[in-house]
């Protein structure tokens, strides 16, 4: 296994499993991929957001991570590909087709190829692998499960499909409850289960993604929490909330709607005893003692990832923290 | 029924059924649509070229006619849409996907919507109608049949799917034989059968399309030839061969390979007693007497359609010719 030199003379060796949702998680994954060797990093992405649109299988979190790792993602828009065009979408609009979800022309190729590969019998894992390889990605990216799991959001208007809530309705409805349809009969990706029981695993990183709709679907897969807790590797979460706000997406709004303060502390409490360590931003240093009092190791680090340097810097902090917990 | 004024004081009233393939046929259809009222013109297009690609149902002849009628076709390239872009194709290439057939970004919307509508249970006719309406087309465009028929080309390399011969292999293999898989169990579009037995039908126009791969699949549908001959309307073919050459496509090459001279006369002989009249270009006036000797009425007219004016002019000549045969 490769050894990675980290700040302050520390080093990191062994494998890393990162649990990720879309944008925020993808940023940290990009940092981790820049620091870790191909064989050291496995990213498992939430697939509860996956859905069918234009008869295509769309996997927003897998794609966000892929595009970030391939350095093709649009950082300004926050989703999809850079230098994207919308010609098919505009033509579809002319034909009167369904178009509440925006698919760019380049992005479309990903969904079309995935749909075609899966129609031909490939699993989501192998289809993902094929597309990731096409994009030049050498680290491993896995869907959390091969089986369909669909996140549903309960609101005043009733239960909504996640993308209806998230994209069509712009996260405006108040969230009352969430469920992950199909999760009880789905199986955690066997490659992930295998990693979790492997003694060479050196860190499990819960990326700064939405705890409710990005990380919880993964944690809700049968046996996932048990395997995480039983792993010899420390489980470290990076707070998606900085100074009471989500960098991107509805996490903070959702926390308030679910009667939780929108703070890094509340995130730590939400994950609770699943974790061994918690990384929070300097802006939230005030919560250090409370989190330590929960029995968690705490790492305070600049966690706003605005450029490649800050992604790499946070990745190194997380790895150094993990190494310190393992030592 | 609307009455259309034609040159030389003639007039045309009643319905027209046009049998069309792709490019050449689509040009005359555009001329006919410019001259005839919406309820006067029904175009039936060959679907033997239809195939699946990227898991989409692609209907090249229906699309060529639609795009021509909507004035969105690319006249220079000879197929597809004007101002087309190729972003999805390029992205697909990057992912290592299949890409021997070129689908433009705007064109893709047509195939996606058609595939989606048909997957939801619509017939090819109603899906075509939905798309054509979306493009602002008011004349009626019908597929020759609702059932799949697949043109196969026998060559020295064996039997090829039509699009493999036509696009992938650029019509290079010598054609030995043709067959239309599924045609015997397919049914001529019932709306076409109905028109053919309707006394108000005033003309049947076999467009200047490839006789072997564009028109023959239509004529090979059970009962089609019988209904055409039994119709009270005159059947008029417009020669796709001008001065020994096909304006576009492999018709002339195919004729030579099938041991037929590449002439307008040979086209007239090929259609034979199906026809009441034949329209040939001024460049081929030498064949007038031979064709008349076959018992066909003959009309000599400029038939090279290079612009809107020449399309309208040929359409009017054909309609005047039909009116004269009906009188």
């Amino acid at each position: 296994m490769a050894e990675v030199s980290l700040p302050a003379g520390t080093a990191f060796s062994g494998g890393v499993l990162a649990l990720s949702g879309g944008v925020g998680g993808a940023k940290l994954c990009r940092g981790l991929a820049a620091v870790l060797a191909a064989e050291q990093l496995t990213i498992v992405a939430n697939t509860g957001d996956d859905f069918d649109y234009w008869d295509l299988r769309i996997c927003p979190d897998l794609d966000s991570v892929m595009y970030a790792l391939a350095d093709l993602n649009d950082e300004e828009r926050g989703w999809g590909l850079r230098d994207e065009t919308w010609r098919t979408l505009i033509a579809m609009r002319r034909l009167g087709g369904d178009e509440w979800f925006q698919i760019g022309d380049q992005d479309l190729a990903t969904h079309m190829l995935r749909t075609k590969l899966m129609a031909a019998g490939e699993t989501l894992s192998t289809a993902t692998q094929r597309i990731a390889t096409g994009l030049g990605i050498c680290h491993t990216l896995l869907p959390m499960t091969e089986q369909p799991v669909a996140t549903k959001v309960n609101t005043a208007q009733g239960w909504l499909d996640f993308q209806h809530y998230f994209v069509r309705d712009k996260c405006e409805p108040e969230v009352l409850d969430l469920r992950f349809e199909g999760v009880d009969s789905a199986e955690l990706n066997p490659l992930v289960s295998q990693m979790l029981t492997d003694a060479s695993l050196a860190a499990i990183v819960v990326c700064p993604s939405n705890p409710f709709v990005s990380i919880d679907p993964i944690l809700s897969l049968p046996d996932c929490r048990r395997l995480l807790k039983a792993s010899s590797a420390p489980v470290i979460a990076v707070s998606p909330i900085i100074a009471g706000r989500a960098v991107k997406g509805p996490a903070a709004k959702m926390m308030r709607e679910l009667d939780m303060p929108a703070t890094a502390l509340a995130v730590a409490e939400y994950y609770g005893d699943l974790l061994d360590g918690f990384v929070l931003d300097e802006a939230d240093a005030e919560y250090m003692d409370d989190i330590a009092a929960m029995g968690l190791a705490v790492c305070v680090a600049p966690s706003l990832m605005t450029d490649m340097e800050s992604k790499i810097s946070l990745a190194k902090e997380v790895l150094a923290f993990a190494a310190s917990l393992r030592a």
Side-chain angles (χ1 to χ4, degrees), chain A:
Chain A
M1 273 284 176
E3 187 176 272
V4 177
S5 295
L6 296 174
T10 58
F12 183 87
S13 65
V16 174
L17 179 70
L19 280 55
S20 182
V23 184
K27 284 185 184 177
L28 182 56
C29 289
R30 174 96 167 101
L32 290 167
V35 172
L36 295 166
E39 75 277 10
Q40 272 187 293
L41 175 63
T42 298
I43 299 160
V44 54
N46 168 44
T47 58
D49 297 12
D50 295 7
F51 71 120
D52 292 310
Y53 185 77
W54 289 356
D55 286 358
L56 299 170
R57 189 66 182 159
I58 300 186
C59 305
D61 287 354
L62 279 171
D63 290 349
S64 288
V65 174
M66 270 198 302
Y67 295 161
L69 292 186
D71 191 21
L72 293 169
N73 60 313
D74 189 306
E75 295 259 354
E76 266 185 59
R77 198 191 313 117
W79 55 271
L81 288 154
R82 237 181 357 254
D83 304 321
E84 187 58 288
T85 50
W86 312 91
R87 303 272 295 173
T88 304
L89 182 77
I90 291 164
M92 191 63 93
R93 207 171 276 166
R94 178 167 66 190
L95 296 178
D98 205 12
E99 39 81 15
W100 60 267
F101 189 82
Q102 296 203 301
I103 301 182
D105 299 323
Q106 303 179 89
D107 191 28
L108 187 52
T110 303
H111 311 314
M112 290 182 65
L113 184 55
R114 174 190 294 123
T115 305
K116 187 178 157 70
L117 292 171
M118 293 182 72
E122 294 208 20
T123 62
L124 181 55
S125 285
T126 60
T128 301
Q129 186 56 43
R130 292 265 291 258
I131 297 167
T133 301
L135 294 175
I137 295 167
C138 53
H139 297 82
T140 302
L141 172 62
L142 299 172
M144 64 180 198
T145 179
E146 306 291 6
Q147 289 83 41
V149 172
T151 298
K152 307 280 177 179
V153 185
N154 197 13
T155 70
Q157 294 106 294
W159 285 97
L160 297 175
D161 290 345
F162 180 74
Q163 296 296 343
H164 284 167
Y165 161 78
F166 190 66
V167 176
R168 193 192 61 189
D169 299 345
K170 303 181 182 66
C171 307
E172 282 162 10
E174 185 185 341
V175 175
L176 307 174
D177 197 6
L178 293 157
R179 64 184 164 89
F180 312 118
E181 206 172 84
V183 77
D184 294 337
S185 51
E187 183 193 4
L188 179 64
N189 195 311
L191 294 170
V192 175
S193 307
Q194 198 181 313
M195 278 192 78
L196 288 172
T197 51
D198 186 332
S200 76
L201 185 67
I204 298 163
V205 180
V206 178
C207 288
S209 292
N210 186 310
F212 313 104
V213 295
S214 298
I215 304 300
D216 265 357
I218 307 176
L219 300 180
S220 302
L221 286 161
D223 233 22
C224 183
R225 282 178 177 273
R226 189 190 64 75
L227 286 169
L228 283 168
K229 290 174 80 165
S231 167
S232 57
V235 181
I236 293 166
V238 179
S239 177
I241 301 288
I242 299 178
R245 295 178 55 188
V247 178
K248 173 100 191 154
K253 177 175 180 282
M254 242 179 226
M255 291 179 85
R256 289 188 297 268
E257 291 166 357
L258 296 170
D259 288 325
M260 223 177 280
T263 62
L265 174 60
V267 173
E269 286 170 342
Y270 185 73
Y271 287 131
D273 66 358
L274 181 78
L275 304 181
D276 299 296
F278 195 77
V279 180
L280 75 174
D281 192 76
E282 290 167 326
D284 296 313
E286 59 184 297
Y287 301 118
M288 274 187 73
D289 293 345
D290 286 326
I291 296 170
M294 293 164 55
L296 300 187
V298 186
C299 168
V300 175
S303 66
L304 192 63
M305 292 173 284
T306 53
D307 55 14
M308 196 59 209
E309 197 186 334
S310 50
K311 288 171 201 164
I312 291 176
S313 163
L314 181 59
K316 287 185 172 177
E317 289 283 357
V318 169
L319 295 175
F321 184 41
S324 74
L325 294 185
R326 216 186 171 208

